[in-house]
Amino acid sequence: MTLVQCLLLASALFSVGVYGLITRRQAVAMLLSIELMVNAANLALVAFAKYAGAPTQPLVLFTLAITVAEVAVGLALVMLLYRRYDDTLLDAASETKG
Amino acid sequence: MNDPIFLAALALFVPIAAALFLLVAAPVRHRGAPAAGVCVTASVVALAAAVRLVFVHAAQGDARWTTTWISAAGKPIAEVGLHLDGASVSMLAVVCLVALCVQVFSVAYMHDEPPRGYGRYFSFHALFLFSMNLFVLAPNLLQAFAGWELVGLTSYLLIGFYFAKPSAAKAAVKAFWMTKLADMGFLFGLLWLFVATGSFEWTTKLAPEVAVGVTLLFFLAVVGKSAQFPLHIWLPDAMEGPTPVSALLHAATMVAAGVFLVVRADPLFAQADATREVMLWIGSFTAVFAACLALVQRDIKKVLAYSTCSQLGYMVAALGAGSAFAGYFHLGTHAFFKALLFLAAGSVIHAVHSNDLADMGGLRKKMPLTTLTFVIGALSLAGIPGFAGFFSKDLVLATLEGRANWIPWAMLMGAAFLTAFYMGRVVCMTFFGALSHKAEHAHEAPLWMSGPLLVLAVPSVGAGFLGGWLAHSLGAHYETHVGLTPIVASTMAIAGLLGSIAIYGRRRDASVAGAIERLDKASMVDRAWELGYRRALLGVSGLLGWFDRYVIDGLMNFTGYTTIEAGAAVRGAQTGRMRHYLVAVVVGAVLLALMGLL
Amino acid sequence: MNSWIHVLSLDLAVVAIAAAVMLVDALLSLRGKSLGWLVVAALTGVLAASFFVDVVGVTPHGAYVSDAWVLFFKRVFLVAAILGILGSIDWLEQRASRRQAEYYALVLFSLVGMMLLPGARDWVLLVVAFELMGVPLYVLAGYAKNDGEPDSPKLAAEAALKLFVTGAASSTFTFFGLALLVGLSGSTMIGQGVQPSPLASVGLLMIIAGFGFKLGAVPFHFWVPDTYQGAPTPFVSFLSVAPKAGGLAALCVILMSTGWIGSHELWGPAIVLLSVASMAVGNLFALPQTDSRRLLGFSGIAQIGYVLIALAAATEQGLAMALFFIAAYVFTNLGLFLVVHAAAENMGGHGIAQMSGLSRRSPWLGGALLVFLLSLAGIPFVIGFWAKLFVFLEAYRAGLIVPVLIGIVLAVVGLFYYLSVARSTFMAEGTSDARIHSGLALRAAIGICLAAVVLFGLWPDPLVEGANAAARAFMAGR
Amino acid sequence: MSDAWFWLLAAGLCASAVSVVRSRDLVRAVLWLALGLLLTAGLYAYLDAPFLAGVQVLTYVGGVATLMVFGVMVTRRHTSASAEASNDSNAVGVLAALGVFALLATAILKTDLPESSAPTQTTAELGRALLDTYLLAFEAVSLLLLAAIVGAVVIARRRDVETRETRGSAALPSIRVGRTEAD
């Protein structure tokens, strides 16, 4: 296996995440898509560590931690959305515009 | 009290101190009358200092004081200070005198305003005087730009003073937009100049193409501020402001700032012949164009507004012809007689409560003092020999005489005729003839108003004789001479005046009309007038007026309108939906990243 | 103690204050406004200390380099935080009295993140600091979740979510770009070992895209007006300036430290594009706004466009002027939002029409509003005039003539809406003539901003010198 | 391990990722994500990063469980949860995803990727790096997590009495006390 294939795999995963980010209307599903995209980045990092000898493994831990923090706050906000709108559809909250 | 710097600083800082005091001391401002007192006192001090400065300058010569404003790595980028030479010292005196007269006039004119508005009005005036002086005394282009912008802002406040009137608010916005549009030229030229030379000095040696580019950009700003074609359209609209404001801004000071900028930056403009050529043509054209439009106005203030455009055209043409002194001289005399005309018009408007010439007539008997001063102003503006306007206008025309291209000279001559004609028309329609309905209860203005008129009437007559002295302090050469130009010019002026009396005098005053009628029968003059005036001249004026209103003004309005509409149209893009925002993020990121591949 | 710990003394002090706030809240449960004042006092102490403590130095492995550049930004952030908190004290005490400590703590956490940004020379630290700055902001944006106005709880949720969603999505791009860049360079040090290649370029630009979100640059700007509208206005005063300064610091570190300053032709056009788009979109969208917060949101987008132009110049002077601009912007915009807040609290809403008659009800607030608006519009003798002039000057000097021209034209459009706000507050008649009363803290914050805007407007030299020194240090030590 | 493993894991990963974003049912989407993350852990192991593989599994057990709770909560109560991607945004999504992939793939293929046989970091080296090279970032991350916890609690806390009776409570009439907040 080579670095190219790993990176292409990561890119594919990232793109799938992008698709989800754009099309999903559920707030929770959007969080899932973000997890997918971060996962893709992590995969690329690990691949670089293996094939290019880059010291990228610690970075994976940091992105994981950051994502955890983001998702924690994100879930709290989704809960707030749910309480205010009785719904977790992102489009429900679109009162400010124009 | 002989330190010129101290005197100039006094003239500069006393008005701003008054403005700040009025800003902070709300109770004083709200009571109205005390605010007027503060403002007028400040102007008196400023004027005294400015006049004293004129004499000190005559004795001691030029002076300059600057301090570093902004430095980078210990090296000054820009300086702030006071620059005193013939031009700035005399301009300072003119500005202070006119401002003081206008303020004193306003004390009575604005009397019916509620006290709060009254106070605010005078605090704006103090601020305006400061801005204008800051501009006049600027030792470099950067400070001049700062003053220029402040002048623009204050004029916005003053024009829009009757904010409750939608048309006034609109006019203020329009005036501001037009001048701002032109100011972009100033800013851009400033940047160019600094990048090219590393300084903001008035007297920088430039590469030829830079000189042309920079001065053309500055000239764009002048076109806006000094209401030259095609950016002149804000000036007539700005007549929505109180009449004394028109006198101050649109006659004597603010619009003259553009001309003064060119006078000041003459060393730069001298390096750009192409720019001067453009100025010559635009100035000449504006002079004729605006004079034609003044011919058909019914609103007395609009006549004067177009007349201002026209006279500024003279100045710009003189500057374009390479004579900064001629332009500056006309600027000075014009400041006096145009301020006088506006204030006298204000006095009339105050009396009859209308701007419309049709509502006036026969005021001669009711308001003798106003009539006298207005006529003096009108004669001066018309360029009747002996009055101030004659000398300066003659000088402008003389600079153009003998040039290879005679068309500008001829155009300005034509404009001189038209000027005399429309001023005669206004005088006839306002002060002579039968008493109109609205004028029946008119009475002479109080002393607060007529006083400034009398004060301004003096230089309107006599300022022409100061030409030699002014030329001396500016380092230019000036002598009165008898030649083709003065003779043609005075003939034009007198002919225009007589013509208008012939046409407009008859309708009003039975005895004069009868005499003219008898004269007409004896000759074919009547026929000639009918054909030449009513058909040709008024026709052209009407056409130009249509063009002005619907094409130029329309175009400018369209630009503003489209901008605002564009803003409203794109609003929909902000959908409020997070999904769409995410699409934007993704697309933006992809597009950015794509730049890395290309 | 290690010999390098003094480098981070200011940051550690802020962490200590944050910890103290939570402890004090847990143990003493202070009520009223005392906690806020204490935090302000402590932060002011830190700001004062920044003038005496020697913070120049480098941490082990060179992850963090502290010099005049870092100090400049730290002071800007500290000032923004002090003023932002000062402006929030009254609002918090009235509307969220049980959540005061958390508010201050979150602001302080965000502050620590910001303060770490300009000195970070390690990708890991940079990204972590960026997130530390950002995550508390998501929460704070939703702080009006129980606020009194009928629709504000809903708007609060929406405001926070929009900020979060955009931010989290942007972060993923940053992460992926980071993975590519670090993987290719074989080092987590910024700018080390990068061989120019298409993938590295794509990675770098993805990182820029991720950071562009915090700046509110187009097209990552959509959250800005929506969030400004729903978040508590005193917080928005902080949100609208500090994270932008932070984003600018991070962007500078990335762009100028990448070691391939020669690659200016790569990122230069990207930044110019962002800048022009921001100026155009911000100014045009601001025109039809009727809500003052939205208008200021779009205006902020436009202002970021001006900053980016100076940055795109990629010269020391350009960098210095970008710094000057952002410092000027901190005082101006923060003060402006606080005035809007003070007015809205008394006049029944944030609509521009609702502000009419403000100058009559409170000449002081009206005057302050006018000064801030003039500063944003770039009228002489307030700080914004210099900021705009300098930025255009440096960009022009670097040859970015067309963007500067566009900027100047659009600045005129900006003038239009700034003055229309001023007109409605100054000239239109309001419905009431009752005097407006605002709290001491709010007044103090506005007063400080006003003084800074006016004094630095009259005498910009000290601030210009500071910005110059910072830029010089950065370019020398990068 | 052979290449076959890689292809197997990769295929599974792609399939589960697509299922995450396509699945209408939130609970299923969460389960697919869990599978995807597990497969990624497998890939980590394959790529000589056993420690990271372990961390991945451990971290996401907690994370995914929380997500699942949410998914269940939301889908059980609401019919609107099934209202998912409409076709128009589907097209946009496909286009955007393809664009991103095309961009990244082109960049990857056009680049001369470094090849190095340097051994990857051992777990011990990883630990040292965290607490030495990245000490500052490590401390900052702990602050970040603290901030996130504080923030999440503030946002999610159901009842905090807001208005004080003494001050302007009349001006703050309608604190929305929703169904879920009443308890």
Side-chain angles (χ1 to χ4, degrees):
Chain A
M1 278 307 86
T2 62
L3 184 52
V4 174
Q5 280 147 352
C6 283
L7 288 183
L8 284 178
L9 175 63
S11 306
L13 285 179
F14 192 77
S15 309
V16 171
V18 166
Y19 171 84
L21 196 64
I22 290 179
T23 51
R24 297 300 297 233
R25 300 165 72 182
Q26 282 282 350
V28 176
M30 190 214 61
L31 287 178
L32 301 186
S33 304
I34 287 180
E35 293 268 6
L36 265 184
M37 290 164 83
V38 174
N39 197 48
N42 284 345
L43 187 58
L45 283 171
V46 175
F48 271 117
K50 161 85 177 165
Y51 294 110
T56 44
Q57 285 203 11
L59 247 160
V60 176
L61 293 174
F62 283 103
T63 51
L64 272 181
I66 292 172
T67 313
V68 165
E70 274 187 346
V71 168
V73 171
L75 281 178
L77 287 174
V78 171
M79 214 155 102
L80 187 65
L81 177 80
Y82 178 66
R83 270 197 247 150
R84 295 288 170 256
Y85 290 85
D86 271 355
D87 210 332
T88 57
L89 285 187
L90 283 177
D91 286 353
S94 56
E95 292 187 7
T96 52
K97 62 184 166 206
Chain B
M1 291 299 271
N2 282 335
D3 182 11
I5 299 303
F6 172 74
L7 289 170
L10 211 58
L12 182 62
F13 289 116
V14 170
I16 187 66
L20 288 180
F21 172 72
L22 291 179
L23 177 77
V24 177
V28 177
R29 193 174 72 240
H30 289 166
R31 285 190 54 203
V38 170
C39 174
V40 170
T41 311
S43 302
V44 168
V45 174
L47 176 64
V51 170
R52 178 91 189 108
L53 184 61
V54 171
F55 292 106
V56 172
H57 176 259
Q60 299 183 4
D62 294 355
R64 185 185 164 98
W65 173 84
T66 55
T67 178
T68 304
W69 206 352
I70 301 143
S71 59
K75 185 171 91 254
I77 297 179
E79 299 188 312
V80 62
L82 306 163
H83 181 78
L84 303 173
D85 63 1
S88 61
V89 166
S90 48
M91 185 73 186
L92 188 69
V94 171
V95 167
C96 288
L97 175 62
V98 173
L100 178 63
C101 288
V102 167
Q103 285 164 11
V104 171
F105 185 88
S106 303
V107 168
Y109 187 86
M110 302 296 285
H111 206 264
D112 296 338
E113 281 295 311
R116 276 164 180 271
Y118 198 69
R120 195 174 64 219
Y121 176 81
F122 280 100
S123 48
F124 287 165
H125 261 294
L127 187 62
F128 178 81
L129 186 56
F130 164 74
S131 317
M132 196 67 204
N133 287 349
L134 185 78
F135 169 72
V136 168
L137 295 170
N140 56 37
L141 277 154
L142 189 64
Q143 186 183 329
F145 180 64
W148 179 278
E149 292 277 293
L150 272 189
V151 165
L153 182 73
T154 336
S155 71
Y156 169 78
L157 295 175
L158 282 170
I159 298 170
F161 183 72
Y162 291 139
F163 53 81
K165 238 165 79 183
S167 59
K170 240 178 90 183
V173 169
K174 186 166 177 180
F176 198 69
W177 265 90
M178 305 292 339
T179 47
K180 277 317 281 190
L181 211 65
D183 286 356
M184 296 185 310
F186 201 152
L187 180 55
F188 206 63
L190 208 62
L191 298 182
W192 193 348
L193 183 73
F194 186 77
V195 170
T197 68
S199 92
F200 292 112
E201 291 302 310
W202 293 111
T203 54
T204 315
K205 190 87 191 78
L206 297 170
E209 67 278 3
V210 178
V212 171
V214 168
T215 50
L216 268 181
L217 285 168
F218 287 159
F219 181 58
L220 176 63
V222 174
V223 166
K225 196 74 115 194
S226 289
Q228 296 296 290
F229 182 88
L231 297 184
H232 63 283
I233 49 176
W234 64 267
L235 185 56
D237 286 17
M239 294 299 131
E240 292 289 347
T243 309
V245 169
S246 308
L248 182 65
L249 268 61
H250 308 125
T253 53
M254 186 193 106
V255 290
V259 176
F260 188 76
L261 176 71
V262 183
V263 172
R264 190 81 297 192
D266 194 47
L268 299 179
F269 280 82
Q271 301 171 47
D273 288 335
T275 310
R276 286 188 156 177
E277 199 64 25
V278 173
M279 290 171 67
L280 178 61
W281 284 100
I282 288 196
S284 314
F285 180 72
T286 309
V288 177
F289 181 80
C292 285
L293 292 177
L295 214 52
V296 288
Q297 299 302 319
R298 288 169 55 90
D299 182 328
I300 185 168
K301 283 180 73 181
K302 291 213 166 157
V303 177
L304 295 177
Y306 279 112
S307 151
T308 306
C309 290
S310 170
Q311 297 302 309
L312 289 165
Y314 274 93
M315 301 172 206
V316 169
L319 297 169
S323 173
F325 170 64
Y328 183 63
F329 189 24
H330 196 51
L331 164 62
T333 57
H334 176 259
F336 293 123
F337 61 70
K338 190 50 70 61
L340 170 62
L341 284 170
F342 263 113
L343 290 186
S347 170
V348 170
I349 292 168
H350 194 64
V352 300
H353 302 289
S354 165
N355 285 7
D356 199 331
L357 284 170
D359 291 337
M360 300 165 188
L363 285 168
R364 170 184 49 153
K365 298 189 186 86
K366 299 268 184 187
M367 313 176 72
L369 202 64
T370 304
T371 310
L372 176 70
T373 50
F374 192 95
V375 168
I376 289 175
L379 294 177
S380 195
L381 171 59
I384 301 299
F387 290 89
F390 169 75
F391 292 98
S392 54
K393 200 182 280 184
D394 177 49
L395 183 64
V396 170
L397 289 165
T399 40
L400 291 168
E401 183 190 337
R403 285 175 68 96
N405 197 334
W406 54 270
I407 296 176
W409 183 82
M411 282 165 92
L412 291 185
M413 276 300 177
F417 172 80
L418 290 171
T419 308
F421 191 93
Y422 64 70
M423 282 322 292
R425 169 175 173 263
V426 169
V427 169
C428 288
M429 290 181 77
T430 311
F431 297 105
F432 295 90
L435 208 60
S436 75
H437 170 67
K438 281 206 174 182
E440 273 168 16
H441 304 291
H443 52 82
E444 185 58 88
L447 185 66
W448 281 103
M449 282 162 74
S450 52
L453 297 182
L454 289 171
V455 170
L456 284 171
V458 175
S460 296
V461 177
F465 299 105
L466 293 175
W469 167 79
L470 193 62
H472 174 71
S473 68
L474 254 72
H477 179 69
Y478 173 66
E479 61 183 15
T480 42
H481 66 291
V482 180
L484 176 66
T485 299
I487 293 172
V488 178
S490 27
T491 314
M492 284 293 183
I494 293 169
L497 210 56
L498 290 180
S500 64
I501 292 172
I503 290 181
Y504 291 98
R506 73 175 75 185
R507 235 182 299 153
R508 300 286 176 145
D509 207 318
S511 58
V512 179
I516 292 172
E517 214 163 339
R518 275 193 296 282
L519 255 171
D520 283 348
K521 289 236 172 89
S523 66
M524 290 297 285
V525 174
D526 192 35
R527 283 288 172 83
W529 273 120
E530 180 62 29
L531 213 69
Y533 176 67
R534 205 165 293 286
R535 294 271 161 77
L537 198 53
L538 282 191
V540 169
S541 293
L543 203 66
L544 287 179
W546 181 87
F547 177 71
D548 191 49
R549 183 161 334 134
Y550 292 101
V551 180
I552 302 175
D553 202 8
L555 208 64
M556 298 298 173
N557 282 341
F558 180 73
T559 314
Y561 178 77
T562 345
T563 316
I564 293 174
E565 280 303 300
V570 290
R571 253 187 117 163
Q574 187 88 16
T575 54
R577 291 175 185 269
M578 274 173 250
R579 234 158 6 112
H580 299 161
Y581 296 1
L582 288 174
V583 172
V585 169
V586 170
V587 170
V590 168
L591 285 184
L592 267 190
L594 198 58
M595 296 181 78
L597 276 184
L598 300 179
Chain C
M1 276 292 151
N2 286 319
S3 61
W4 52 268
I5 208 80
H6 69 96
V7 168
L8 293 167
S9 49
L10 299 178
D11 315 63
L12 292 175
V14 175
V15 174
I17 296 172
V21 164
M22 292 196 289
L23 273 180
V24 164
D25 183 61
L27 299 179
L28 303 178
S29 64
L30 287 177
R31 282 279 160 264
K33 302 176 184 176
S34 44
L35 192 57
W37 283 106
L38 284 177
V39 174
V40 168
L43 281 182
T44 312
V46 176
L47 179 65
S50 78
F51 289 93
F52 302 108
V53 179
D54 172 33
V55 295
V56 176
V58 182
T59 63
H61 306 287
Y64 192 84
V65 178
S66 181
D67 50 19
W69 157 265
V70 170
L71 206 55
F72 180 87
F73 267 109
K74 280 187 175 165
R75 286 179 190 146
V76 168
F77 296 139
L78 279 168
V79 166
I82 290 171
L83 293 173
I85 289 179
L86 208 50
S88 309
I89 290 178
D90 298 321
W91 181 86
L92 271 178
E93 196 250 351
Q94 286 179 24
R95 306 288 176 81
S97 57
R98 289 289 182 85
R99 283 181 280 136
Q100 290 193 56
E102 289 90 340
Y103 183 95
Y104 298 131
L106 287 169
V107 170
L108 293 170
F109 284 135
S110 184
L111 178 63
V112 174
M114 288 170 200
M115 288 168 71
L116 286 175
L117 276 175
R121 293 294 180 279
D122 184 295
W123 281 114
V124 180
L125 182 59
L126 188 78
V127 168
V128 171
F130 198 74
E131 291 295 329
L132 179 56
M133 167 175 90
V135 168
L137 299 179
Y138 304 149
V139 179
L140 290 167
Y143 230 72
K145 59 173 186 156
N146 291 346
D147 206 348
E149 288 171 39
D151 57 345
S152 95
K154 276 191 169 184
L155 292 192
E158 189 176 336
L161 259 174
K162 279 179 173 165
L163 181 59
F164 167 76
V165 165
T166 324
S170 298
S171 289
T172 59
F173 279 89
T174 304
F175 291 158
F176 204 86
L178 189 65
L180 296 179
L181 202 60
V182 171
L184 283 171
S185 65
S187 162
T188 56
M189 295 299 288
I190 296 174
Q192 266 189 16
V194 184
Q195 299 300 320
S197 70
L199 197 55
S201 304
V202 167
L204 178 69
L205 290 166
M206 279 175 88
I207 296 175
I208 295 177
F211 280 46
F213 134 81
K214 202 64 94 196
L215 279 170
V218 174
F220 314 106
H221 68 287
F222 281 102
W223 62 273
V224 172
D226 295 5
T227 299
Y228 284 11
Q229 195 178 348
T233 317
F235 166 66
V236 174
S237 73
F238 178 73
L239 176 71
S240 70
V241 294
K244 287 191 179 182
L248 178 72
L251 205 56
C252 292
V253 169
I254 296 171
L255 293 181
M256 310 252 171
S257 307
T258 35
W260 6 315
I261 190 93
S263 71
H264 176 225
E265 64 266 23
L266 168 67
W267 58 262
I271 297 291
V272 168
L273 210 65
L274 287 181
S275 157
V276 171
S278 301
M279 290 188 293
V281 168
N283 279 317
L284 279 183
F285 276 66
L287 276 176
Q289 296 305 325
T290 51
D291 185 296
S292 55
R293 294 164 300 181
R294 295 187 72 79
L295 184 130
L296 289 180
F298 283 114
S299 122
I301 295 166
Q303 301 280 338
I304 279 304
Y306 303 136
V307 178
L308 289 180
I309 266 201
L311 196 60
T315 57
E316 185 188 307
Q317 279 295 309
L319 186 60
M321 290 312 127
L323 298 192
F324 178 79
F325 193 105
I326 207 79
Y329 182 69
V330 164
F331 287 117
T332 311
N333 220 43
L334 211 153
L336 190 49
F337 263 111
L338 290 181
V339 173
V340 164
H341 171 63
E345 287 287 283
N346 287 278
M347 303 181 82
H350 291 83
I352 294 169
Q354 280 160 315
M355 303 250 175
S356 48
L358 173 65
S359 69
R360 178 158 298 187
R361 295 184 57 183
S362 171
W364 189 81
L365 279 181
L369 183 80
L370 181 67
V371 169
F372 293 137
L373 285 172
L374 292 182
S375 179
L376 284 183
I379 298 290
F381 304 119
V382 267
I383 196 166
F385 170 71
W386 300 112
K388 210 169 273 179
L389 184 73
F390 290 154
V391 158
F392 285 146
L393 196 65
E394 290 310 328
Y396 194 114
R397 191 138 59 167
L400 300 168
I401 297 175
V402 174
V404 167
L405 194 60
I406 296 173
I408 290 178
V409 172
L410 287 168
V412 176
V413 175
L415 208 58
F416 182 77
Y417 56 79
Y418 291 132
L419 284 179
S420 72
V421 175
R423 203 173 59 217
S424 86
T425 53
F426 257 79
M427 301 192 160
E429 299 281 335
T431 46
S432 154
D433 256 3
R435 302 285 294 181
I436 286 179
H437 296 286
S438 34
L440 173 67
L442 189 56
R443 272 181 291 154
I446 296 173
I448 294 170
C449 291
L450 188 64
V453 167
V454 171
L455 291 181
F456 283 130
L458 288 173
W459 211 257
D461 211 27
L463 204 51
V464 173
E465 273 298 321
N468 272 323
R472 209 174 316 130
F474 180 66
M475 296 301 265
R478 73 161 190 265
Chain D
M1 278 192 276
S2 69
D3 287 1
W5 278 108
F6 175 83
W7 288 117
L8 207 60
L9 288 169
L13 191 49
C14 285
S16 60
V18 170
S19 307
V20 171
V21 295
R22 289 296 297 169
S23 159
R24 306 256 147 172
D25 185 358
L26 258 186
V27 179
R28 284 205 189 139
V30 175
L31 287 175
W32 280 118
L33 180 70
L35 178 62
L37 295 172
L38 277 176
L39 289 173
T40 313
L43 270 178
Y44 289 174
Y46 173 84
L47 293 169
D48 288 349
F51 177 69
L52 292 182
V55 171
Q56 173 96 349
V57 172
L58 288 177
T59 322
Y60 278 114
V61 168
V64 168
T66 322
L67 282 171
M68 204 145 86
V69 171
F70 265 84
V72 171
M73 176 188 87
V74 171
T75 41
R76 212 180 46 189
R77 286 245 187 130
H78 289 276
T79 49
S80 67
S82 59
E84 261 302 337
S86 55
N87 282 333
D88 56 327
S89 71
N90 202 17
V92 175
V94 169
L95 270 180
L98 282 181
V100 170
F101 185 72
L103 173 85
L104 291 173
T106 319
I108 291 167
L109 295 175
K110 274 174 80 175
T111 302
D112 229 1
L113 288 169
E115 291 289 342
S116 155
S117 50
T120 52
Q121 286 161 299
T122 63
T123 307
E125 282 167 347
L126 202 58
R128 264 196 296 279
L130 274 187
L131 292 174
D132 181 27
T133 318
Y134 303 116
L135 175 64
L136 264 179
F138 187 78
E139 298 299 336
V141 152
S142 57
L143 270 185
L144 172 65
L145 288 171
L146 177 60
I149 292 165
V150 171
V153 169
V154 170
I155 288 291
R157 195 156 59 191
R158 283 187 174 178
R159 274 156 55 88
D160 35 14
V161 181
E162 287 304 328
T163 49
R164 299 207 327 199
E165 298 303 317
T166 51
R167 182 176 205 127
S169 52
L172 311 170
S174 55
I175 304 296
R176 283 174 58 98
V177 182
R179 191 166 18 127
T180 48
E181 287 176 71
D183 46 358

